[in-house]
Amino acid sequence: MPGTAVFLNRGKETAPLAMRANLEHNHVRHDHVVILAITTEPVPRVPADRRITVDGLGYADDGIVHVTAHVGYMETSDVPGILAALDPATTEGPLQLDEASYFLSTIELRRGTAPTMAPWRKRLFIATSYITADAAEYFGLPRDRTVIMGSHIEV
């Protein structure tokens, strides 16, 4: 599929849940795929020369790269800004950021019957999982081009 897809993920050890779900459900892959992990460092600001690391994941010219962005705890995690700073030579060609699609993964917790913890603790654990910031807003993603795909886990 023409265009650029950006999948946010915690690291590069696993494929993003949203990427796997998109491939299984829609049977498409964009020409350029960026898997982006954002690491918050224990410093207020990260110097520009240490901010971004790009990894081709061992396959040249497949259109998939992994980007790790290092930000300080006082900096914002502006994903479009991070992507705009990428050198096209490191991303296997120029990214089409004005029309890029952003994919977020989410996991919904459900109360199961397994005796893993006391019922009141399960309810409390699930209730606290709903008290999270809006990921699209936090990362500065354009709402009209952000897709949230998810799964569920029983606790």
Side-chain angles (χ1 to χ4, degrees), residues 38-112:
I38 298 177
T39 303
T40 303
E41 301 294 338
V43 295
R45 304 200 184 284
V46 174
D49 62 331
R50 293 190 347 211
R51 185 174 304 270
I52 297 174
T53 306
V54 180
D55 183 355
L57 300 174
Y59 298 97
D61 298 328
D62 65 352
I64 302 174
V65 295
H66 185 277
V67 175
T68 303
H70 302 274
V71 297
Y73 60 80
M74 291 187 67
E75 298 175 297
T76 59
S77 299
D78 175 30
V79 170
I82 291 168
L83 297 174
L86 292 173
D87 179 7
T90 63
T91 59
E92 300 180 15
L95 304 175
Q96 299 162 348
L97 297 178
D98 292 338
E99 300 169 4
S101 298
Y102 297 89
F103 294 85
L104 297 173
S105 304
T106 184
I107 296 176
E108 176 187 349
L109 300 177
R110 295 183 182 171
R111 190 168 47 165

Side-chain angles (χ1 to χ4, degrees), residues 4-20 33-39 65-69 76-83 97 100-107 134-142 145-149:
T4 300
V6 180
F7 295 91
L8 274 74
N9 200 30
R10 295 193 188 277
K12 65 179 176 182
E13 292 78 27
T14 61
L17 173 66
M19 183 177 176
R20 293 187 313 229
V33 175
V34 176
I35 301 170
L36 177 63
I38 298 177
T39 303
V65 295
H66 185 277
V67 175
T68 303
T76 59
S77 299
D78 175 30
V79 170
I82 291 168
L83 297 174
L97 297 178
S101 298
Y102 297 89
F103 294 85
L104 297 173
S105 304
T106 184
I107 296 176
D134 179 9
E137 183 177 326
Y138 179 78
F139 292 117
L141 304 179
R145 293 185 281 127
T146 301
V147 178
I148 300 173
M149 302 182 87

